[in-house]
Amino acid sequence: MTTPTQPIHYISALRILATFLVILIHASTGYLNVFPGPGTDWHYANLLNSFSRFSVPLFVMISGTLLLQKRENFVIFYKKRMARICWPFLFWVVVYLVYYFYRYTNIDVLPAGRVVEISIQKIVQGPSAHLWFLYMIIGLYIAIPFLQIIVAHASRKELLLFIFCWIIALLIVNKDLNSYIPRIDLTFFSGYVGYLILGYYLSTQKMKIPVWLLLAMILVIAAANTYGTYAVSLKYHKYMPTFYGYLGLNNALLAAVVFLLFKKLFQRPLPKWLLLVDGYSFGIYLVHILVLNYVHPLVPLPTVWKIPVATCITLIGSFAIIYLLRKIPYGKYVSG
């Protein structure tokens, strides 16, 4: 989620889109837990999720685009980049840990030993579900100086080969497919590191793919996500997020196509009010669950309007909180 000194217009647009869609996912996922649910709410939430699950991959691809084109000393990189992650990490882990005890427990009657036990468990696993991203991105940042060396010496064909091996690794780790694929150890290529390489590769290559074809691919893949999620859930008589995985090949392809589309469409500066969201995107991501948990129940609208309205209010409210936090002494170091 690193913000460049000189904004790249399509990268700013992608970051804004990804920030909005992450909030949209969390504003709509609750409707999916009961399958098929009353009325059309489940199908509507499924549609929104199916068109949004490339958001987190986009964040990682953006980091790959911005960081892998550089060649930095290990010490300088870790000192500069990790500090931007670690201080917000520590701050928001504490915030969400306090929030957990306040909202979900009666801490007044909990034994001290139990409080400590829960705290350790939450810190290890993440006190809020969305904070898994911080745990993941720290690991990627540790790897980035090594990846900078690799991409600096790799040819176009070698990068493509890496991406191909990563795709095979995604298939192998897929629980629904790995029983049909030889379990070759592709650990080196697996996980979110592939999105770093993919983002770097797509940002450095000129591809003459028409906009209409990119749009058609987005619609087809997202529609397949929508129908596939319904079909699998129907088969098992419960909500099955099989097609929602951030490391699913379907969403990796969707992220790549959206990346290329925005690279074509956004070549000029964005409006200043949108750039504010861009500059505060990391902090918005970190705080938005707190805001959404209070906003969502208070929006008195039918579901079809409630989800997007709650998403927009949460985005604005989260921006306001991070903006004010950065005005406090030392707040800029922990806000994200």
Side-chain angles (χ1 to χ4, degrees):
M1 291 186 178
T2 306
T3 304
T5 303
Q6 296 295 328
I8 303 171
H9 305 313
Y10 77 89
I11 291 295
S12 295
L14 284 168
R15 191 186 289 108
I16 293 165
L17 175 67
T19 302
F20 178 83
L21 292 182
V22 163
I23 300 175
L24 183 68
I25 288 172
H26 293 144
S28 59
T29 300
Y31 295 92
L32 295 168
N33 293 326
V34 178
F35 177 81
T40 60
D41 287 0
W42 191 94
H43 297 284
Y44 179 57
N46 177 33
L47 180 69
L48 295 179
N49 270 261
S50 297
F51 274 79
S52 305
R53 288 284 169 167
F54 60 88
S55 51
V56 168
L58 275 185
F59 280 132
V60 185
M61 291 174 68
I62 289 169
S63 292
T65 299
L66 300 178
L67 298 179
L68 293 187
Q69 297 188 38
K70 303 179 179 181
R71 179 70 177 91
E72 297 174 275
N73 176 274
F74 280 66
V75 175
I76 294 175
F77 178 87
Y78 290 139
K79 184 177 180 180
K80 181 168 60 175
R81 305 290 178 182
M82 295 299 284
R84 294 181 182 178
I85 298 293
C86 290
W87 289 119
F89 171 82
L90 294 173
F91 176 78
W92 290 103
V93 163
V94 172
V95 168
Y96 278 98
L97 189 60
V98 172
Y99 176 72
Y100 171 81
F101 282 112
Y102 168 76
R103 185 178 176 100
Y104 299 108
T105 72
N106 187 354
I107 194 170
D108 293 334
V109 300
L110 279 178
R114 182 58 179 155
V115 172
V116 172
E117 181 183 342
I118 293 174
S119 298
I120 293 173
Q121 180 185 24
K122 289 294 179 182
I123 291 171
V124 170
Q125 299 178 355
S128 179
H130 76 300
L131 293 185
W132 73 270
F133 182 86
L134 287 178
Y135 292 73
M136 178 269 290
I137 206 69
I138 288 174
L140 291 184
Y141 269 46
I142 293 171
I144 281 175
F146 300 94
L147 294 175
Q148 288 176 340
I149 298 172
I150 292 174
V151 299
H153 294 88
S155 67
R156 178 177 179 272
K157 289 183 178 179
E158 288 164 343
L159 289 174
L160 275 174
L161 180 59
F162 184 99
I163 293 171
F164 175 77
C165 292
W166 174 63
I167 290 171
I168 299 301
L170 293 184
L171 295 175
I172 289 175
V173 300
N174 188 309
K175 295 179 180 178
D176 298 298
L177 298 175
N178 60 17
S179 57
Y180 304 100
I181 300 174
R183 297 186 180 181
I184 303 168
D185 187 355
L186 292 178
T187 305
F188 176 77
F189 299 95
S190 65
Y192 289 88
V193 67
Y195 284 119
L196 291 174
I197 302 295
L198 181 62
Y200 168 80
Y201 178 82
L202 294 180
S203 69
T204 56
Q205 303 299 316
K206 292 183 178 180
M207 299 184 183
K208 297 181 179 179
I209 305 176
V211 169
W212 71 264
L213 181 56
L214 293 172
L215 287 170
M217 291 174 68
I218 291 171
L219 290 174
V220 169
I221 298 167
N225 284 352
T226 305
Y227 177 76
T229 301
Y230 171 72
V232 175
S233 299
L234 187 64
K235 177 181 177 181
Y236 290 97
H237 305 289
K238 63 178 181 179
Y239 164 52
M240 296 291 291
T242 304
F243 288 82
Y244 286 175
Y246 296 133
L247 289 175
L249 182 56
N250 53 323
N251 290 315
L253 181 58
L254 188 55
V257 175
V258 172
F259 189 99
L260 290 173
L261 178 65
F262 273 52
K263 187 180 177 183
K264 280 182 171 289
L265 294 181
F266 292 92
Q267 294 296 325
R268 295 182 179 181
L270 299 174
K272 290 183 178 180
W273 64 273
L274 274 178
L275 289 176
L276 287 175
V277 177
D278 178 31
Y280 286 75
S281 59
F282 189 23
I284 291 171
Y285 177 90
L286 294 171
V287 76
H288 80 273
I289 291 296
L290 294 176
V291 180
L292 182 62
N293 283 350
Y294 286 100
V295 167
H296 198 280
L298 298 178
V299 178
L301 295 171
T303 302
V304 66
W305 297 111
K306 183 184 183 79
I307 293 175
V309 169
T311 299
C312 292
I313 294 175
T314 298
L315 178 64
I316 296 169
S318 298
F319 168 82
I321 290 173
I322 299 302
Y323 177 83
L324 293 174
L325 183 57
R326 290 188 182 182
K327 296 296 182 181
I328 300 172
Y330 303 105
K332 64 180 181 180
Y333 299 108
V334 300
S335 62

